[in-house]
């Protein structure tokens, strides 16, 4: 019979070819739109780099940071309390800009942590900060030739960046027969780098090359020096192309253990509740089909690998008609570049022949919500909560023997023993997993933005998080959303995920008078499953880098650790929209509900109106309506007859995307003006003193001349330094003035939550 996997591959390849042609067409049609792109998203604080990117437990590390919109930085903070930072002081006892001394306590757990900066606009987006047990070093000079190679001790880590069109060189010493694991952490620690690793002999002649995985498993053939080369796959480079290079000795029979890295967004749905990885049955090769099928008994958990290339793992089991089994595979969610596929077939013996009858084919976990078709927020969110892994059910049609074949759809092109998987076959265990991200816009006018959006609130603003659910094993119930442990002056309102739906909204509102501060909040969902009330955490996702033009760069989203919420206390929302009264607005089913709205306007806008749409299960189909941006009030009208929303209590909000004329940090202009005035005053004083001493030197006697000339030279140096200070202050003023010029920025504006009650229609 025809190989089902071959059919599947052909379909995927054909679809991929069509997608490539469609993409080329879109590129051609949309190229001109880029010129019309406008700024999107009001400024938000973002930590971009820390150098080094981590440190050893029990040590102090000097760290230099860079970022976007990091004015008036107050502190550098970490996701784990055992990692602390203090400003680095110069010889005069003054803090050095953007430099900190980070203390990693001896009991800090090794692994991935996160650093953030508390700045004028609030708590920044996160950057990975790795903690390990090995001694660490930092590359400080170019190592682009064999002769300039930086020595690295075995069992240590080097923190470095790679420059464009360059190859970094490192020298190591190894003994004959010594097994070395050379690991380059890059993508997993938020770097933009796709690392290529090469081990070469002492003269730089390549011995072993790895272009895909960032790790080399190398056994030294002779005792002596070796060169490790590192570069980006396309020879890009710069401060954002950082990496951590470890060289470790490991026993000959030891499995490979990689440096820790972040988790992809899709991994939020793994593992299922009750999964025990240590209890998994090991896949037993050879099991590539037919008589070699591995017998299993359901339910079961299996740990296996897609190895070697084109591996097809086959399992056989007996089952009874009417049984329903849920099948789940994790591989892509374990961080592997795989695409699992399963076909289940009934084994039928007829006239001495074995025939296979297809029962079901299982492939991807679909995204719970329509996502962006291009990887940026144009027609959906730039996040994929789905996965190339598998979650589906097998309904047994007849008593008998069944064969399950599991393969990686594109496994014929890769042979990697690290491409592991976990296969779980279980009876129904209804459940759900949740992930959330800051709402992205449906962009327009050529925008191609996918931006990291920390929960840094402006006073008077409401921020929306999109919360999506992967439902497991048939669970279809309602999921309520809650957020706790918020900063003072911040409230959270969850717009539930309705029964059978996959999307809800969490609204965060900062009062106009909310004090500056931040806290680690808790976000979770609750539902009734059977007779039990269950609570599940909501994982947060964010862009690793702010991508302002996704034609040029592919967005790289990942999961965050924790859910910190902050209030900057330095800027107000451009406009706040709320219901006129803090009450429950009521209307009967089948009638019209009118809600009067008030606007608190604190800035100017391009355009006189903006369209608003509706958040809220059962009411999000409400037609878009316009509200004035030049008035203090408006009204929202909900046609309940058209919406056919059943009676009940609901929470809704309205949202739109007006174009604000935003002035960035106008207070910086006032500060710069004061600094320039002070610098000019110091220059005037230094000039007067220099002129006075110059005149005295000209008229001084021979006995006094040397002393006065020395004083005159010192005064001239002071004048020169004062002139430099004036020039620097003048530049700061010009920069601040330029930044503070009104700039058109389109962003999401969300109203405060509004409670409504739909009453039963009157009986006729």
């Amino acid at each position: 019979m025809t190989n089902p996997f071959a059919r599947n591959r052909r379909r995927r390849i054909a679809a991929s070819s069509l997608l490539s042609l469609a993409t080329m067409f879109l590129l051609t049609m949309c190229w001109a739109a880029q010129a019309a792109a406008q700024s999107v998203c009001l400024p938000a604080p973002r930590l971009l780099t820390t150098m080094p990117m981590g440190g050893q437990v029990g040590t102090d590390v000097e760290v230099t940071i860079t970022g976007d919109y990091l004015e008036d930085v107050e502190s550098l903070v970490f996701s784990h309390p055992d990692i602390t930072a203090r400003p680095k002081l110069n010889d005069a006892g003054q803090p050095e800009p953007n430099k900190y001394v980070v203390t990693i306590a001896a009991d800090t757990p090794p692994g991935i942590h996160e650093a953030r900066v508390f700045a004028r606009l609030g708590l920044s987006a996160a950057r990975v900060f790795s903690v390990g047990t090995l001694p660490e070093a930092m590359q400080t000079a170019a190592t682009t030739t064999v002769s300039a190679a930086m020595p690295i001790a075995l069992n240590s880590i080097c923190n470095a960046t790679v420059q464009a069109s360059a190859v970094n060189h490192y020298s190591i010493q190894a003994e004959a027969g010594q097994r070395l694991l050379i690991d380059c952490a890059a993508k997993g620690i938020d770097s933009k780098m796709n690392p290529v690793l090469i081990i070469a002999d002492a003269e730089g002649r390549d011995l072993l090359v790895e272009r895909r995985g960032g790790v080399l498993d190398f056994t030294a053939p002779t005792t002596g020096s070796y060169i490790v080369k590192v570069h980006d796959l396309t020879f890009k480079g710069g401060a954002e192309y950082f990496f951590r290079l470890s060289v470790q000795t490991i026993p000959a029979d030891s499995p490979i253990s990689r440096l820790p890295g972040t988790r992809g967004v899709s991994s939020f749905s793994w593992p299922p509740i009750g999964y025990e990885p240590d209890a998994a049955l090991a896949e037993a090769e050879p099991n590539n089909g037919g008589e070699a099928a591995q017998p299993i008994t359901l339910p079961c958990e299996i740990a296996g690998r897609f190895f070697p290339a084109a591996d097809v793992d086959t399992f056989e089991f007996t089952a009874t008609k009417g049984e329903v089994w849920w099948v789940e595979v994790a591989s892509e969610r374990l961080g592997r570049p795989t695409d699992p596929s399963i076909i289940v077939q009934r084994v039928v013996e007829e006239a001495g022949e074995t025939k296979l009858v297809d029962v079901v084919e299982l492939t991807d976990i679909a995204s719970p919500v329509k996502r962006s078709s291009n990887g940026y927020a144009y027609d959906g969110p730039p996040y994929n909560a789905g996965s190339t892994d598998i979650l589906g059910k097998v309904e047994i049609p007849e008593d008998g023997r069944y064969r399950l074949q599991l393969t990686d759809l594109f496994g014929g092109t890769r042979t990697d023993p690290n491409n592991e998987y976990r296969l779980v076959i279980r009876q129904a265990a209804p459940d759900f997993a949740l992930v959330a991200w800051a709402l992205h816009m449906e962009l327009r006018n050529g925008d191609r933005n996918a931006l990291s959006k920390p929960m840094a609130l402006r006073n008077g603003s409401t921020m929306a998080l999109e919360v999506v659910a992967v439902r497991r094993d048939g669970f279809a119930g309602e999921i309520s959303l809650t957020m706790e442990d918020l900063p003072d002056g911040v409230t959270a309102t969850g717009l539930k995920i309705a029964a059978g739906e996959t999307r809800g909204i969490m609204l965060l509102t900062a009062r106009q008078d909310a004090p500056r501060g931040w806290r680690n909040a808790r976000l979770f969902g609750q539902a009734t499953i059977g007779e039990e009330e269950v609570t599940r955490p909501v994982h947060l996702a964010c862009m690793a880098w702010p991508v302002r033009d996704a034609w040029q760069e592919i967005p790289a989203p990942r999961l965050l650790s924790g859910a910190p919420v902050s209030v900057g206390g330095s800027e107000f929302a451009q406009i706040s929209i709320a219901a006129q009264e803090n009450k429950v607005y009521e209307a009967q089913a089948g009638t019209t509900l009118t809600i009067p709205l008030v606007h608190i306007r604190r800035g100017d806008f391009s355009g006189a109106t903006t369209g608003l749409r509706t958040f809220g299960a059962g009411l999000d189909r409400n037609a878009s309506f316009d509200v004035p941006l030049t008035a203090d009030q408006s009204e929202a009208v909900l046609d309940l007859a058209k919406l056919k929303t059943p009676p009940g209590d609901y929470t809704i909000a309205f949202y739109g995307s007006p174009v604000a004329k935003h002035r960035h940090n106008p207070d910086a202009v006032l500060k710069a003006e004061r600094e320039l005035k002070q610098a000019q005053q110091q220059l005037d004083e230094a000039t007067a003193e220099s002129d006075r001493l110059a005149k005295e030197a000209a008229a001084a006697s021979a006995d006094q001349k040397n002393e006065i000339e020395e004083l005159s030279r010192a005064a001239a140096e002071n004048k020169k330094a004062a002139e430099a200070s004036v020039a620097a202050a003048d530049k700061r003023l010009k920069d601040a003035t330029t930044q503070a010029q009104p700039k058109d920025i389109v962003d999401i504006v969300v109203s405060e939550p509004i409670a409504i009650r739909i009453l039963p229609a009157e009986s006729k």
Side-chain angles (χ1 to χ4, degrees):
M1 63 182 295
T2 303
N3 187 327
F5 296 110
R7 294 200 308 268
N8 211 335
R9 270 193 207 97
R10 287 196 293 270
R11 288 199 298 268
R12 289 290 183 91
I13 292 170
S16 177
S17 299
L18 289 172
L19 180 60
S20 297
L21 291 172
T23 301
M24 291 174 64
F25 175 76
L26 287 171
L27 284 170
T28 303
M29 295 297 292
C30 297
W31 187 260
Q34 293 186 43
Q38 61 190 350
S39 295
V40 173
C41 187
L42 292 174
R46 298 183 179 98
L47 179 60
L48 297 183
T49 67
T50 67
M51 180 53 69
M53 299 76 67
Q56 183 183 11
V57 295
T59 64
D60 285 355
V61 182
E62 183 179 318
V63 171
T64 301
I65 67 169
T66 66
D68 285 343
Y69 304 111
L70 298 187
E71 309 102 347
D72 303 329
V73 171
E74 184 176 310
S75 56
L76 174 65
V77 299
F78 294 87
S79 56
H80 197 280
D82 287 342
I83 310 175
T84 57
R86 64 184 185 276
K88 184 179 185 296
L89 304 180
N90 59 22
D91 294 339
Q94 298 299 312
E96 294 189 28
N98 301 323
K99 292 188 177 181
Y100 294 85
V101 177
V102 175
T103 298
I104 307 170
D107 55 353
T108 305
I112 292 294
H113 303 282
E114 289 177 340
R116 291 178 173 85
V117 169
F118 192 40
R120 181 182 70 87
L121 291 173
L123 203 61
S124 73
R127 183 56 72 229
V128 163
F129 190 82
S130 301
V131 172
T133 58
L134 299 176
E136 303 211 1
M138 188 169 74
Q139 180 180 330
T140 57
T143 61
T144 55
T145 63
V146 172
S147 60
M150 174 182 172
I152 297 180
L154 298 184
N155 299 309
S156 70
I157 290 176
C158 177
N159 295 270
T161 60
V162 66
Q163 298 306 307
S165 303
V167 178
N168 287 9
H169 293 69
Y170 306 92
S171 64
I172 59 174
Q173 300 293 319
E175 297 178 0
Q178 195 169 35
R179 185 186 178 197
L180 303 179
L181 185 67
I182 305 167
D183 193 357
C184 183
K187 286 292 187 181
I189 59 170
D190 287 348
S191 175
K192 292 185 177 182
M193 181 180 178
N194 287 303
V196 173
L197 280 182
I198 303 169
I199 186 77
D201 63 19
E203 285 71 40
R205 294 184 292 258
D206 295 355
L207 301 174
L208 185 63
V209 180
E210 173 53 53
R211 292 184 173 85
R212 298 172 302 170
V215 62
L216 282 174
D217 187 353
F218 175 71
T219 300
T222 60
T223 298
S225 297
Y226 293 88
I227 298 295
V228 177
K229 303 176 187 179
V230 183
H231 66 84
D232 178 68
L233 182 64
T234 56
F235 289 94
K236 294 180 181 179
E240 299 169 347
Y241 290 78
F242 48 78
F243 60 91
R244 283 166 62 82
L245 180 68
S246 73
V247 181
Q248 300 182 65
T249 59
I250 60 174
D253 58 350
S254 176
I256 291 177
S257 179
R258 298 291 307 274
L259 292 173
T262 56
R263 298 169 59 200
V265 174
S266 65
S267 66
F268 82 95
S269 61
W270 177 264
I273 297 299
Y275 173 70
E276 298 181 9
D278 294 338
L281 174 71
E283 171 213 356
E285 292 281 6
N287 59 352
N288 285 2
E291 298 300 323
Q294 180 177 347
I296 57 175
T297 301
L298 306 188
C300 66
E301 298 172 3
I302 298 172
R305 298 184 299 168
F306 296 119
F307 180 78
D311 183 32
V312 178
D313 290 341
T314 307
F315 306 92
E316 282 197 357
F317 58 90
T318 58
T320 302
K321 180 179 179 179
E323 290 181 344
V324 176
W325 295 98
W326 287 86
V327 178
E328 186 163 3
V329 176
S331 184
E332 186 264 348
R333 289 177 290 173
L334 301 178
R336 307 311 307 162
T338 53
D339 189 353
S341 181
I342 279 177
I343 186 167
V344 177
Q345 299 168 306
R346 185 161 62 95
V347 181
V348 179
E349 302 289 348
E350 289 184 357
E353 291 187 10
T354 300
K355 296 183 178 180
L356 299 177
V357 179
D358 292 354
V359 175
V360 68
E361 183 178 8
L362 303 174
T363 55
D364 299 351
I365 301 173
S367 175
V369 294
K370 184 183 184 301
R371 62 184 293 260
S372 166
S373 57
N374 291 65
Y376 54 81
Y378 185 72
D379 55 357
Y383 297 91
N384 186 8
S387 172
T388 59
D389 285 344
I390 293 169
L391 176 58
K393 66 178 177 179
V394 177
E395 298 177 298
I396 304 300
E398 301 289 343
D399 293 355
R401 185 159 54 103
Y402 289 82
R403 184 173 295 171
L404 182 152
Q405 292 181 306
L406 171 61
T407 190
D408 174 8
L409 279 177
F410 295 97
T413 65
R414 48 196 172 213
T415 178
D416 186 346
N418 294 311
N419 283 346
E420 60 182 328
Y421 66 79
R422 298 293 182 270
L423 167 64
V424 179
I425 306 175
R426 60 177 179 267
Q427 293 177 334
D431 209 332
F432 60 95
L434 300 168
V435 67
W437 46 73
L439 189 72
H440 277 66
M441 300 171 55
E442 292 182 11
L443 302 183
R444 57 197 181 190
N445 298 338
D447 298 314
R448 297 292 181 268
N449 292 264
L451 299 171
S452 47
K453 292 186 173 185
M455 289 183 284
L457 304 174
R458 287 172 168 80
N459 291 68
S461 70
T462 295
M463 183 178 189
L465 302 180
E466 191 170 26
V467 186
V468 302
V470 164
R471 295 177 177 273
R472 183 175 272 115
D473 299 10
F475 172 68
E478 178 180 290
I479 304 171
S480 63
L481 304 172
T482 304
M483 201 166 194
E484 297 179 346
D485 299 337
L486 295 163
D488 292 341
V490 176
T491 56
T493 304
L495 309 188
K496 65 186 178 183
I497 301 175
E501 301 295 328
T502 56
R503 179 180 184 262
I505 299 291
M506 174 57 69
L507 300 175
L508 292 172
T509 300
R511 290 198 321 256
Q512 180 167 309
D513 61 350
R516 174 176 168 81
W518 69 276
R519 291 188 67 180
N520 278 312
R522 292 193 312 117
L523 178 57
F524 53 91
Q526 294 174 301
T528 301
I529 300 178
E531 301 296 322
E532 182 183 2
E533 294 288 331
V534 300
T535 299
R536 299 289 180 255
V538 178
H539 302 270
L540 266 292
C542 186
M543 290 294 158
W545 291 92
V547 176
R548 296 174 180 85
D549 183 359
W551 288 115
Q552 307 298 324
E553 183 177 353
I554 298 174
R558 66 170 177 88
L559 292 183
L560 295 169
S561 62
V565 178
S566 66
V567 178
S570 63
E571 284 193 10
F572 291 98
Q574 297 284 120
I575 186 172
S576 300
I577 301 174
Q580 193 173 82
E581 298 180 69
N582 183 19
K583 70 173 189 178
V584 178
Y585 287 83
E586 296 183 347
Q588 290 180 335
T591 64
T592 296
L593 173 61
T594 300
I595 303 173
L597 303 175
V598 294
H599 311 163
I600 301 176
R601 295 176 291 120
R602 307 182 187 89
D604 297 324
F605 294 88
S606 292
T609 65
T610 189
L612 294 184
R613 290 184 289 173
T614 307
F615 283 136
L619 295 146
D620 51 7
R621 292 178 289 104
N622 187 49
S624 175
F625 59 96
D626 289 340
V627 297
L629 294 170
T630 55
D632 295 330
Q633 55 189 337
S634 62
E635 62 181 25
V637 179
L638 282 73
D639 186 345
L640 300 179
K642 185 176 182 180
L643 292 171
K644 295 182 172 56
T645 307
D649 290 335
Y650 299 86
T651 302
I652 64 172
F654 303 111
Y655 68 105
S657 52
V659 180
K661 290 188 172 297
H662 178 70
R663 295 187 64 207
H664 179 67
N665 198 10
D667 289 344
V669 177
L670 301 177
K671 180 181 178 182
E673 288 174 343
R674 291 192 300 269
E675 291 175 347
L676 178 58
K677 183 178 180 180
Q678 183 180 6
Q680 186 63 57
Q681 181 179 348
Q682 292 172 347
L683 174 58
D684 292 343
E685 294 172 355
T687 301
E689 179 67 5
S690 178
D691 291 347
R692 182 184 68 80
L693 288 171
K695 290 178 181 179
E696 288 185 10
S701 64
D703 293 340
Q704 297 175 322
K705 198 171 187 64
N706 288 340
E707 180 181 353
I708 293 179
E709 284 181 346
E710 183 67 27
L711 292 174
S712 180
R713 283 192 293 271
E717 288 296 322
N718 287 340
K719 178 184 175 181
K720 185 178 179 180
E723 289 172 341
S725 295
V726 168
D730 184 60
K731 184 179 185 303
R732 287 196 296 272
L733 176 58
K734 290 178 179 177
D735 290 344
T737 302
T738 300
Q739 290 256 355
Q741 292 299 310
K743 181 180 180 182
D744 281 355
I745 298 180
V746 58
D747 205 352
I748 298 172
V749 169
V750 185
S751 77
E752 294 184 16
I754 301 168
I756 68 171
R757 178 173 295 129
I758 300 177
L759 304 171
E762 289 185 357
S763 301
K764 294 184 179 179

